[in-house]
Amino acid sequence: MVEETFEGFVARERARLHGEREAVFTAQHELESKLAGINRELAAIDAYEAAKAGKLPTPLRRRRKGGPQPRACSGSKRDALLKLIEESEGLTRGEILERMGLKGNKSGEMSVSNALTALTKGNQVVRENGRYRAA
């Protein structure tokens, strides 16, 4: 019987965890797609009801007036990021991306960078020696 080395065990565990992580990401993507479809159907129902009542749906009224388009709220990502930083002794950007499961996700990484910049400018987070800490 061949005795297993610690390095072999760690490599096998890392591969197993990466596999589980990919399965979760796949399931998450499928659920997000399903949720987007449901949201489209709900928006269609809202548009139908508004048209039947002789009113334009709210998003269409905003567009018609030429006002600003509604934006997705980035506060929840910022809040989650701030909570993660507060619960630690300080994290590098790479550690933050790992813990949030965004390593390798270009848009997710950019979102975290933007949120870190906003939190730093808002004096909620400070950066010392490459680590982000709660202010």
Side-chain angles (χ1 to χ4, degrees):
M1 180 173 179
V2 177
E3 192 171 317
E4 180 179 22
T5 65
F6 181 70
E7 289 82 10
F9 169 76
V10 169
R12 221 178 52 256
E13 275 300 294
R14 181 181 307 274
R16 181 186 66 79
L17 290 172
H18 278 294
E20 282 186 35
R21 186 175 179 196
E22 282 303 312
V24 169
F25 280 140
T26 300
Q28 180 182 16
H29 179 69
E30 290 169 359
L31 288 172
E32 286 172 351
S33 295
K34 189 173 183 177
L35 180 60
I38 292 169
N39 286 338
R40 281 191 301 274
E41 288 183 42
L42 285 170
I45 291 170
D46 290 344
Y48 169 77
E49 289 175 338
K52 191 149 175 130
K55 299 178 184 176
L56 288 174
T58 304
L60 291 177
R61 272 190 256 136
R62 272 195 206 123
R63 281 189 206 125
R64 215 176 223 183
K65 289 181 182 175
Q69 295 297 316
R71 284 185 51 177
C73 180
S74 62
S76 58
K77 171 118 13 196
R78 251 184 240 164
D79 293 341
L81 182 57
L82 185 58
K83 184 178 180 195
L84 179 69
I85 292 170
E86 287 172 343
E87 293 173 349
S88 72
E89 294 294 315
L91 297 168
T92 66
R93 181 180 171 276
E95 291 169 337
I96 291 168
L97 293 172
E98 277 290 326
R99 291 193 184 181
M100 294 184 85
L102 296 172
K103 194 86 166 178
N105 175 338
K106 295 282 186 196
S107 65
E109 289 182 8
M110 183 60 74
S111 177
V112 167
S113 293
N114 292 340
L116 285 170
T117 300
L119 289 170
T120 303
K121 284 183 178 180
N123 296 320
Q124 294 175 283
V125 170
V126 293
R127 186 171 181 207
E128 298 169 347
N129 301 322
R131 297 183 95 65
Y132 292 92
R133 290 183 171 75

